[in-house]
Amino acid sequence: METGEAAHQAARSDTLRRLAAVGLAGYGVVHLLVAWLALQLAWREHGVTAGPGRTADASGAVAVLAGSPAGPVLLWALTVGFTGLSLWQAVEVLRHRHSVPPPGPERRRTFLRVLRSGGTALVYGYLALITARAALSGGSGRPAEQASARGVLAMPFGPLLVVAAGVVTVVIGGYQVQKGWRAAFGNELDLDPFDRRVRRLVRVLCQVGFATKGLALVLVGGVLIWAGATVDPEQATGLDGAVRAIADARYGPHLLTVIAVGIGLFSVYCFARARHPVS
């Protein structure tokens, strides 16, 4: 069997789609937890931090799950789901790569889909890694992640790599904003069984979620670019560092509240797409 045909069959696999549905639902839960942590950070009293292991990002959300009574079970379920999502998107890369259309606009769109699916596969793979690590270590992997991120700056071309990562993050954030603005996610959701008003409400909530999450990614990219340009390891802190910087600004708590609500609303898209994962 050729690779392209195998990829098409795998993309239609019910088992893979069920795993993807679990991962998408888990991704929604992670966004809700990140939003809750960001709200706590926005309205903390007199500069009190969110506490050890409670960073306002995916690692903080995983730490919250790890501390719950059913933590290990939830984390392993998320690991399986995120792994399924990563495999699903990797299969999409193979499927698109083996069905390249003739030169023209459609080929460019296919190329962009390959890049998007490849990047998404890496993101879900990273989430699978941190949830598996948290399940094995009880959620205590955050310091090692921070050391890894900051250690990149000590490499010979570390600052350039950090700046490049920041630029890529800004581009992804901009893409998310325009995707939300144009509601360019309709073909990814199966909302036909719902009432027209419910479909409209879900689309509006998804639009706000995409746009606000995109804004958060743009801020994260800006922080990374600044860290690489100034070679400041303390600034290479990702989403958690970005939201803490916003919280400390004059009107930071209000802006961070808006961002937190938007990140929470992105979970609506995750849950809606989990009903019937399509690409």
Side-chain angles (χ1 to χ4, degrees), residues 185 191 194-207:
F185 49 78
L191 301 177
F194 296 105
D195 178 78
R196 180 173 57 86
R197 287 171 295 182
V198 174
R199 292 199 299 268
R200 183 181 301 171
L201 175 61
V202 170
R203 286 195 178 95
V204 170
L205 294 178
C206 289
Q207 282 186 273

Side-chain angles (χ1 to χ4, degrees), residues 250-268:
R250 183 176 180 182
Y251 297 104
H254 302 282
L255 177 58
L256 188 52
T257 297
V258 173
I259 292 175
V261 170
I263 290 174
L265 287 178
F266 187 79
S267 65
V268 175

Side-chain angles (χ1 to χ4, degrees), residues 209-226:
F210 264 104
T212 317
K213 183 184 177 183
L215 175 61
L217 289 175
V218 169
L219 293 172
V220 171
V223 168
L224 289 174
I225 292 171
W226 178 258

Side-chain angles (χ1 to χ4, degrees), residues 112-153:
L112 290 175
R113 282 194 290 266
V114 168
L115 287 179
R116 184 185 64 188
S117 296
T120 305
L122 291 175
V123 170
Y124 290 140
Y126 168 75
L127 289 172
L129 177 64
I130 64 172
T131 50
R133 181 184 298 171
L136 292 171
S137 65
S140 59
R142 179 67 186 178
E145 290 172 27
Q146 289 181 327
S148 298
R150 294 173 180 174
V152 173
L153 287 173

Side-chain angles (χ1 to χ4, degrees), residues 227-240:
T230 59
V231 197
D232 186 356
E234 294 303 315
Q235 296 296 325
T237 51
L239 179 59
D240 180 62

